[in-house]
Each structure stands twice: as structure tokens, then as C-alpha cells.
Amino acid sequence: MPLDDMTPEAPLPPLPPEEELSALAKTFYDKVYAHPWIGRFFRHVDQARQEVKLVRFLLLSWGDASFGSYQGQYLREEHANLYITDELFDLRQALFAETLREHGHGGALVGAFLAFNERWRSFVVKRSVQECEPTYPGEEIVVVPRPA
């Protein structure tokens, strides 16, 4: 994705307060960890740590176009060994939208979050397992087949 495309066309609405972001992250990751497919990527990952990372990512990146290339590279490295398909990314988007609605947020904020998340798709989605790379020697490539 060209870095120029990282800038949203319209300004993003303000983020909810940090306490609300933490509650959103908790609900979101409760859904993710419980999901029979996407949850398997997180079997050995501390949920509380993931929640903190998501809140930090949102606070640093939301509405800061100059931060886009840095955050995109960070996400690429963080997900380098994970075989994440478009279908998995779409599932994540759906779980995130569901979470926002459960917390009482409506169309404008849901749309803004989905558009914000969409900016990062090309940094994490891979077309094949061959695009996955370990980030350190001996790191496993993680492939989680879709459950039947």
C-alpha cells in the first residue's frame, strides 16, 4: 500500500476515552480468544497483554497520518510469521464491529474504526504461506486451517 493511501480522506472522530478503549479491547479479545478459528492464533499469547497493545496502538495511531508508515512496518513485523488471509482479516473486522455495537457505539464510529483497521490490511494479510517469515531464528510459521 502506498504510504499516501494511509491518510484517511476525512478526519477521524475522536477516540473514546482510554477507559472505554480498554473495555472495548477486553470485550473484543474475549470474542477473539473464544472463536474456534481466529482464537487458535492466540493459544500461547497473554490476553491482557494483547488488550494493552491494542489500546496503545489506537492511542498512538488514531488520526496521526505521519505515524502510518511506522505503525504499518510494526504490524508487518508483528504478524510476519502468521498466515493471515483476507477471510481472517474480515472476521476480525466483524468481531470488532460487533464489539463496538455492543458497547453502544453507532454507525459513524463503527465505520471510522473499520476504515482505520482497513488501512492496515496490506501489512498483515498474506496471499500464501510462502509470504510468511520468522522474525527470529527458529520461530514457527503459524497456519491455522479454517475449522470445518
Side-chain angles (χ1 to χ4, degrees):
M1 169 184 290
L3 294 181
D4 292 344
D5 292 345
M6 293 298 294
T7 305
E9 292 179 14
L12 294 169
L15 272 176
E18 188 171 348
E19 307 79 48
E20 173 65 9
L21 291 176
S22 294
L24 287 166
K26 169 80 170 102
T27 301
F28 171 67
Y29 277 113
D30 284 347
K31 292 175 181 299
V32 167
Y33 277 72
H35 195 275
W37 187 15
I38 200 169
R40 291 175 55 205
F41 281 91
F42 294 90
R43 284 187 301 185
H44 304 294
V45 179
D46 179 67
Q47 181 175 336
R49 184 170 182 264
Q50 285 302 114
E51 293 167 12
V52 168
K53 285 173 65 173
L54 176 59
V55 171
R56 185 178 315 130
F57 179 80
L58 291 169
L59 290 171
L60 290 172
S61 306
W62 191 263
D64 186 352
S66 65
F67 215 58
S69 62
Y70 174 78
Q71 288 295 63
Q73 186 58 35
Y74 164 76
L75 288 174
R76 181 174 283 124
E77 291 169 6
E78 282 287 300
H79 298 85
N81 71 314
L82 306 175
Y83 181 48
I84 299 170
T85 62
D86 278 310
E87 187 177 12
L88 278 162
F89 193 92
D90 292 343
L91 172 59
R92 183 198 183 277
Q93 286 279 67
L95 293 174
F96 207 90
E98 183 180 293
T99 298
L100 288 165
R101 289 184 188 102
E102 286 176 7
H103 280 257
H105 296 290
L109 190 63
V110 172
F113 265 104
L114 295 180
F116 173 81
N117 289 339
E118 194 64 40
R119 293 170 44 187
W120 313 107
R121 181 183 292 264
S122 69
F123 293 100
V124 298
V125 168
K126 295 158 191 85
R127 303 286 175 232
S128 72
V129 175
Q130 287 70 35
E131 291 183 20
C132 297
E133 302 177 347
T135 51
Y136 58 85
E139 183 180 44
E140 173 183 322
I141 300 300
V142 180
V143 179
V144 178
R146 188 175 210 266

